[in-house]
Amino acid sequence: MSQATTLARVIIRQILEAGITDAVISPGSRNAPLSLALVAAQKRGLIKLHIRIDERTAAFYALGLAKASNRPVPVICTSGTAVANYHPAVLEASHSNIPLFVITADRPAELRRTGANQTTEQARIFGKAVRYFSDVSGGAYPLELPLNALQTGPVHINVQFEEPLLGDDNDAWLDGLKVNPPKVFDRKKAGTLASKSTRGLLVIGHDRGGLEVAAVSAFIESLGWPVISEDPLTFAQANAHASLFLTATPIAKDLAPDTVIVIGRTTLSRSVNALIKSARSTFVIDPRIATVDSDRAADKRFTDLPELYVAPADPEWIAKWQKYSERTAKVVKDVSIWSEPLIAREIAANLSADTALFIASSRPIRDLEAFAAARSGVITYANRGLAGIDGNISTATGIATHHGSAIAVLGDLAFLHDLTGLIHHDQVNLKIFVVNNDGGGIFSTLPQRGVEGFEEVFGTPHGLDPAAIAKSMGISGKTIDNTAELSKEITAPIKGLSVVVLDVPNREANADLIKDLAEKMKSL
């Protein structure tokens, strides 16, 4: 029996005993011992394997699986540049506390810095982005520490495999296996949050800091304060369209809070963030304070939902928030021109209950925050750890795999950025809506608009047809440009992977429309 095979089987057996049910592999030679051990485990029905040929795609796919299941997902690759392609997903996992279990195969340590093929410094390649790292060699390695560390974010073990890489095909090493997941760390009591403020505000970041929806909903009810949610599809109690109506200075002044409680991170709206900064006191509730956000500023910080001792909110204060939200809703409802705000409004309104929805960064997620009516029942996901547009298709496919089906809303650049995520299209039920404005529409709504060279370095028009690209890969693709067809596509059954391109007016016209809507807020 080769030492590589022995070590791989020891690692995989522990993974199975920890209750891990899915693993993602990118094909390679040096990781063959791990891949073959997993094939044997899958043959016995002990784990499900997902193969992705592109390591960046593989890592984001595993991220989506882990995000949706809230369970560790190993992602396994060979040595060399393959490892580096995991880095973007590892960073996203780190800033979102996602249990991504990175297992990289390596040559023996003595080959480092010798000019050996496909050998580089893989040890600690992800730096502080992982909660635990180990450079593994020999014939055995206990996974207790890395498996426990996964409870707070990504983990990396770099496994040195000596040749020969192949062993026998005996699967007796899987006999007598007993699943015994690691014990969840007992958290210290979160403490108490006391406030006498009658003008308090609760702001909920898009992923709620990883806290459960039910727990946050109960917290909302106990608190009794007005609520802003960056994700308006989860909390029907939220005051919708806040990022829009708070752009009006008179409204922002009228709604200036005395105290703000922030759950998770608020990363989207400048108007909301400005309102938070205007408060006399701020409380932050976010488990990431213990890991990546350790310098987060607030009057008091909590890593879990605290016990509340708060004064009742002033009824007039609550009524003001409701008034501005309802008046803005009427303005948004009157948008009839085919546009990005209308698309966001219609998608949010027509999604059926229990739909799993992935929303890309840049404009789509901002449009949903600003133009969607508050509701509940949709299971929303987004890569808001670092808010990148990379790996979005792959993350969405991982989410769809867990839920059985899903919808994704992407911008055209996010779509083009992750085309390799479309390769395994026969294995997922996912409908991707691509909002196509031929470039980086977000920049037309930011201060860069109009500067010299804008179109070349910010607008970045590509002139490509996403539907044609999908069809060239054997995927259903169509283009639509009206509300009736959009409503039909949103409610249609999801079968296989399909791409629906939403061709919208040019980026400048969209920016002007959003500006006009913001102007209307001044006269609410």
Side-chain angles (χ1 to χ4, degrees), residues 16 21 39-48 174:
L16 298 171
T21 58
V39 167
Q42 179 175 250
K43 190 174 180 180
R44 285 206 181 187
L46 298 171
I47 199 165
K48 182 173 177 58
L174 291 167

Side-chain angles (χ1 to χ4, degrees), residues 72-205:
V73 176
V75 57
I76 299 163
C77 71
T78 189
S79 62
T81 59
V83 180
N85 277 285
Y86 281 173
H87 210 151
V90 170
L91 289 172
E92 176 63 30
S94 179
H95 286 269
S96 302
N97 284 3
I98 302 297
L100 186 67
F101 191 3
V102 177
I103 305 176
T104 57
D106 201 356
R107 265 73 171 166
E110 59 266 24
L111 294 182
R112 297 170 188 168
R113 298 180 296 279
T114 67
N117 180 50
Q118 208 168 321
T119 303
T120 187
E121 288 288 351
Q122 295 178 193
R124 297 179 178 81
I125 192 171
F126 303 120
K128 295 180 180 179
V130 292
R131 307 292 184 261
Y132 179 91
F133 167 76
S134 183
D135 202 8
V136 179
S137 61
Y141 178 73
L143 289 185
E144 182 179 3
L145 290 177
L147 287 170
N148 281 329
L150 281 165
Q151 295 179 38
T152 59
V155 160
H156 175 208
I157 62 170
N158 185 61
V159 187
Q160 302 169 38
F161 286 125
E162 299 262 7
E163 293 187 0
L165 300 176
L166 302 181
D168 58 45
D169 58 1
N170 187 342
D171 67 354
W173 60 279
L174 291 167
D175 292 344
L177 189 145
K178 295 181 180 179
V179 175
N180 186 27
K183 292 181 179 179
V184 176
F185 293 137
D186 291 329
R187 288 183 178 176
K188 295 180 180 179
K189 289 186 178 180
T192 59
L193 189 159
S195 174
K196 295 180 180 179
S197 173
T198 59
R199 289 175 61 93
L201 175 67
L202 175 63
V203 182
I204 306 172

Side-chain angles (χ1 to χ4, degrees), residues 21-22 61-73 98-99 212 381 398-399 401-403:
T21 58
D22 293 86
Y61 178 80
L63 178 82
L65 272 174
K67 188 189 290 278
S69 66
N70 201 29
R71 298 165 67 97
V73 176
I98 302 297
E212 294 293 330
Y381 300 95
I399 290 165
T401 297
H402 174 75
H403 285 285

Side-chain angles (χ1 to χ4, degrees), residues 490-502:
I490 296 168
T491 56
I494 303 169
K495 187 175 181 180
L497 181 57
S498 60
V499 173
V500 180
V501 181
L502 312 176

Side-chain angles (χ1 to χ4, degrees), residues 191-197 219 222-223 225 306-312:
T192 59
L193 189 159
S195 174
K196 295 180 180 179
S197 173
F219 186 83
S222 297
L223 185 62
W225 291 2
E307 191 173 353
L308 288 170
Y309 293 93
V310 297

Side-chain angles (χ1 to χ4, degrees), residues 243-276:
S243 64
L244 181 57
F245 62 71
L246 287 172
T247 59
T249 301
I251 295 177
K253 287 181 178 179
D254 194 28
L255 295 178
D258 178 67
T259 301
V260 174
I261 299 173
V262 179
I263 295 178
R265 297 193 194 103
T266 57
T267 57
L268 294 178
S269 168
R270 294 183 180 185
S271 60
V272 172
N273 286 329
L275 192 76
I276 294 170

